[in-house]
Amino acid sequence: MPLAYSCDKGYVRGIFMAYLIMMDAGHGGRDPGAVYNGRQEKDDTLRLTMAVGSILEDYGVDVAYTRTSDVYETPFEKAMEANAIGADLFISIHRNSFPSDNTAFGVESLVYDLSGLKYEIAQSINAELETVGFRNLGVRARPNLVVLKRTKMPAVLVEVGFINSDVDNELFDDNFNDIANAIATGILDVLWSKGLIPDGREEESNSGGGSGTGGEVSTEEHLNSESELYRVQVGAFRNRQYAERLLNELLEQDYPAYIDDTGNYIRVQVGEFADMNRAVTMERRLKRDGYQTVLVLR
């Protein structure tokens, strides 16, 4: 159940049983944030923050919110709330702005310094948002921002496109669900890889089937459905266009890639191996080529 925390509500860390992320919707109340043609940053951030939080909760992560309605709190108050409940991670959602309209576009993330878990998560979020169509402006260090400086846990502030860019606003509106999923995936991928939370992808992958393999899979590896077969998963998407884009990229490099769309996500996978060692070898090859991977069992 979503939990909004503020100092007068008196929530304590003990009510949370899993990894706890404080989700912060930038601005609010009397502070609209950036405004463009009647569009207010505070509205976009609240809607997106709640959507991301919902996805994280679906994967068993505890989520608290600095606000769930149109109210104002100072950045300092938000940081103190996260500290008070002992949050493990702080994610602040914003929209960017530029002095001249329709000049700048893209997504960037801000962190206290370019190191540690926060930096990895920021990079991962940006990479996922790039697959939705945003230009990736990179990760920048902003040590003077209060929500990055005063929080005691890793903190990332994500600028999800420029609110005074018609291009970014169209992306934001037309791909809202994909954007929420991209941010959540960017967070989860790093937490999974670090072993900080149970890997929800393994359970999901094991629940689905799949078909189609490439040239590196030998005849003896096409066993019956009761046999254990290992695959290397390179991506999971809600939008088929993004999955097909990754698939074509892999096929151009002669990877035996295919799409498995039997589950809730459209998954891009490589190979199907009865021998786990061969699957691990393929996974290492993909990682050397810069892909984020996970070994899954069918």
Side-chain angles (χ1 to χ4, degrees), residues 24-28 31-33 41-43 45-46 49 66-67 78 92-94:
D24 169 43
H27 308 284
D31 175 16
E41 181 181 0
K42 68 175 183 177
D43 299 325
T45 61
L46 179 59
T49 296
T66 58
R67 68 182 180 100
K78 292 177 176 183
S92 186
I93 304 296
H94 287 253

Side-chain angles (χ1 to χ4, degrees), residues 77-90:
E77 287 173 325
K78 292 177 176 183
M80 293 304 101
E81 289 168 9
N83 294 341
I85 62 171
D88 299 296
L89 179 65
F90 186 95

